[in-house]
């Protein structure tokens, strides 16, 4: 798997280890350093093995092989899903009770898909990209309203779309 963000890129090797490179001004590379540019892949700190990865503008999130989301980097809108606005230079586990099948990072927000088809979003909601009927930010995962049958989800800059079981798209 490979992902490209605003100024950084990441990949997951077949071993499950994650590596990131590029701009690290907001610690979005996950190498426990803040600042600087890294032109070569830096190993993401920690023992977790990943199956999917997604880069936002200033943060990165990855899906652990056990179905748990981990995020790191800038957290000014709560896009790391930790219940606060403290930035982190190493992967932090997002507290979600159910197993996840997908995690996706937008500009300043993040969304995930639970294994029961329910999408969750957190971070900046100023354009309605969290899908919870509010234009406010959320620092912890919040259920997307009126959507319970998603098969896939993808966060854009200031919007999010989900593919429903009936193959229709829902976007907000």
């Amino acid at each position: 798997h490979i992902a490209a963000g605003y100024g950084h890129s990441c990949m997951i090797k077949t071993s499950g280890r994650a590596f990131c490179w590029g701009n690290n001004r907001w610690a979005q590379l996950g190498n426990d350093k803040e600042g600087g540019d890294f032109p070569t892949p830096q190993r993401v700190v920690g023992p977790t093995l990943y199956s999917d990865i997604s880069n936002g503008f200033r943060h990165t999130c990855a899906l652990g092989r056990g179905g748990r989301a981990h995020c790191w980097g800038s957290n000014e809108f709560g896009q790391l899903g930790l219940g606060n606005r403290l930035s982190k230079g190493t992967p932090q586990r997002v507290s979600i009770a159910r197993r996840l099948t997908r995690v996706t990072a937008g500009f300043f927000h993040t969304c995930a898909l639970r294994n029961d088809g329910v999408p969750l979003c957190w971070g900046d909601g100023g354009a309605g990209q969290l899908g919870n009927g509010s234009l406010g930010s959320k620092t912890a995962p919040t259920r997307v309203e009126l959507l319970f049958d998603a098969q896939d989800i993808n966060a854009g800059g200031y919007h999010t779309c989900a593919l429903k079981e009936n193959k229709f798209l829902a976007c907000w």
Side-chain angles (χ1 to χ4, degrees), residues 5 14-15 29-30 35 70 89 100 106 115 120 124 130 137 142 161 170:
T14 54
S15 66
L29 300 186
H70 296 81
L100 302 175
N115 64 345
L120 306 163
D124 179 25
L130 302 184
S137 298
T142 304
C161 291

Side-chain angles (χ1 to χ4, degrees), residues 145-168:
E145 287 186 0
L146 306 174
L147 188 57
F148 53 86
D149 61 345
Q151 288 186 329
D152 200 4
I153 191 166
N154 200 356
Y158 293 101
H159 66 289
T160 307
C161 291
L163 177 66
K164 296 172 55 163
E165 287 178 4
N166 63 7
K167 304 302 178 197
F168 284 97

Side-chain angles (χ1 to χ4, degrees), residues 94-168:
V94 179
S95 183
I96 299 174
R98 295 191 186 211
R99 185 177 158 100
L100 302 175
T101 60
R102 179 100 162 91
V103 65
T104 178
F107 208 60
F108 292 112
H109 75 292
T110 305
C111 295
L113 185 60
R114 293 190 329 202
N115 64 345
D116 63 356
V118 173
L120 306 163
C121 294
W122 57 92
D124 179 25
Q129 63 268 46
L130 302 184
N132 63 3
S134 166
L135 296 178
S137 298
K138 297 289 183 185
T139 60
T142 304
R143 185 179 174 154
V144 173
E145 287 186 0
L146 306 174
L147 188 57
F148 53 86
D149 61 345
Q151 288 186 329
D152 200 4
I153 191 166
N154 200 356
Y158 293 101
H159 66 289
T160 307
C161 291
L163 177 66
K164 296 172 55 163
E165 287 178 4
N166 63 7
K167 304 302 178 197
F168 284 97

Side-chain angles (χ1 to χ4, degrees), residues 28-59:
Q28 66 266 45
L29 300 186
N31 61 355
D32 203 19
K33 298 176 180 146
E34 185 175 343
D37 292 322
F38 292 83
T40 58
Q42 304 291 301
R43 187 176 166 288
V44 173
V45 173
T48 303
L49 301 179
Y50 299 101
S51 61
D52 195 14
I53 196 160
S54 183
N55 297 1
F57 178 57
R58 298 176 178 169
H59 74 293

Side-chain angles (χ1 to χ4, degrees), residues 30 32 44-45 48 50 60-62 68-73 75 79-82 84 86-95 122:
D32 203 19
V44 173
V45 173
T48 303
Y50 299 101
T60 304
C61 292
R68 298 283 189 166
H70 296 81
C71 296
W72 57 90
N75 196 29
Q79 63 264 43
L80 301 186
L82 306 176
N84 59 50
L86 302 174
S87 297
K88 299 290 182 177
T90 60
Q92 305 294 308
R93 193 167 101 185
V94 179
S95 183
W122 57 92

